[in-house]
Amino acid sequence: MTSIRKTFLLLAFLLASLAGTARAADETAAAEAAMQPWLQKIDNHLYDRSWQDAAPSFQKAVTEKDWANALQTARAPYGKCLGRRIASASRQTVVASPTGAQQGDFVLAQFHTSFERLPRAIETVTFEKVGDAWKASGYYIKPGP
């Protein structure tokens, strides 16, 4: 193989890798953008709307009433959300799994969040790709370090 051909193949491989990385970054950014308004619904006690805007897998796992009750128990005691910033986000694709894990494209993000009565908390949010949209499929909150 000639040196020029090797260089061309290497360049083509690098460009394809960069394009894949850029697409993954775009998808992660799109999921992060969808997380903010969903979290704001929770902040504003619009628990029913946050459930309605969640992924079908989420809605199958928890009823709207149970979701509202869980948030009332878990979030209401902390008071008003004072601020939230993303700490990390990673995109994962799950394919057929012997453990039965749900298949699909997911973005898992953690936020450093402060509340009136909990100055440091960690919110973990999972969004999954549903058609062309990113929708919530998981939420967890705990006191931060």
Side-chain angles (χ1 to χ4, degrees):
M1 188 178 302
T2 68
S3 176
I4 293 173
R5 185 171 178 179
K6 286 181 186 177
T7 302
F8 176 76
L9 289 174
L10 179 60
L11 182 59
F13 174 76
L14 289 173
L15 288 174
S17 296
L18 288 173
T21 301
R23 277 193 301 275
D26 288 347
E27 289 289 339
T28 302
E32 288 176 35
M35 291 174 185
Q36 293 294 344
W38 187 79
L39 287 167
Q40 288 172 355
K41 287 178 181 129
I42 295 172
D43 294 341
N44 293 320
H45 307 283
L46 301 172
Y47 305 146
D48 57 339
R49 293 198 37 216
S50 69
W51 184 89
Q52 291 162 7
D53 291 345
S57 61
F58 183 92
Q59 294 170 342
K60 288 178 188 173
V62 62
T63 67
E64 184 176 344
K65 182 178 179 182
D66 288 343
W67 173 241
N69 289 338
L71 284 176
Q72 187 64 32
T73 301
R75 279 284 305 270
Y78 300 145
K80 181 181 176 184
C81 177
L82 301 176
R84 173 182 291 119
R85 69 177 172 80
I86 192 153
S88 65
S90 63
R91 184 171 180 256
Q92 299 175 0
T93 299
V94 179
V95 293
S97 166
T99 63
Q102 182 178 335
Q103 297 178 27
D105 290 322
F106 300 88
V107 172
L108 176 74
Q110 288 196 320
F111 293 85
H112 292 293
T113 308
S114 63
F115 297 92
E116 289 175 312
R117 292 183 289 282
L118 181 65
R120 293 175 16 172
I122 304 278
E123 290 178 296
T124 302
V125 182
T126 306
F127 266 51
E128 73 177 271
K129 186 99 183 239
V130 179
D132 290 333
W134 287 95
K135 296 189 171 257
S137 61
Y139 176 81
Y140 180 73
I141 186 170
K142 68 178 184 175

